[in-house]
């Protein structure tokens, strides 16, 4: 099993920045991909960004150029640097990890962007 713990959410004004962190524990040696998803009220959970163990990253079109995902394998931690935040970015952000045995989720952290 893999356990994930997020931190760093909060309330920020439009145009501001936040940094999310997600620390993995448990069967960490098996993790391939880590990423961030988000779910706004009344909407489906959507991909924000993912990064492989080889640090290849992919982003949703809506966040390209504003968000940066990074991974510190020595700390088993993935980060999401969010700049130029918009009210449309308001959501619960979930950390995600995948290995050969399954998909794992964190408990989520709220990000609220005021206009």
């Amino acid at each position: 099993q893999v356990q994930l713990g997020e931190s760093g959410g909060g309330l920020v004004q439009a145009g501001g920045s936040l940094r999310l962190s997600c620390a993995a524990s448990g069967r960490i040696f098996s993790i391939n991909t880590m990423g961030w998803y988000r779910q706004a009220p009344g909407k489906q959970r959507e991909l924000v960004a993912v990064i492989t163990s080889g640090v290849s990253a992919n982003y949703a079109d809506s966040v390209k150029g504003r968000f940066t995902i990074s991974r510190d394998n020595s700390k088993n931690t993935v980060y999401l640097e969010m700049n130029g935040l918009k009210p449309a970015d308001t959501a619960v952000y979930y950390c995600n990890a995948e290995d050969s045995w399954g998909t794992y989720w964190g408990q989520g952290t709220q990000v609220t962007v005021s206009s």
Side-chain angles (χ1 to χ4, degrees), residues 19-96:
R19 188 193 196 205
L20 305 183
S21 299
C22 172
S25 60
R27 196 175 56 213
I28 57 176
F29 66 89
S30 66
I31 296 174
N32 298 315
T33 301
M34 297 188 75
W36 292 93
Y37 289 69
R38 66 187 182 187
Q39 187 168 17
K43 295 188 177 182
Q44 290 188 330
R45 191 172 297 188
E46 62 177 6
L47 171 72
V48 176
V50 293
I51 187 167
T52 67
S53 57
V55 300
S56 173
N58 287 295
Y59 298 90
D61 288 343
S62 59
V63 306
K64 283 181 180 177
R66 300 188 298 122
F67 291 10
T68 302
I69 190 170
S70 61
R71 182 170 173 173
D72 187 338
N73 290 323
S74 68
K75 296 181 179 179
N76 307 311
T77 300
V78 64
Y79 305 96
L80 186 68
E81 187 76 35
M82 304 185 293
N83 299 311
L85 282 161
K86 305 174 181 179
D89 295 317
T90 295
V92 177
Y93 284 69
Y94 295 92
C95 181
N96 165 279

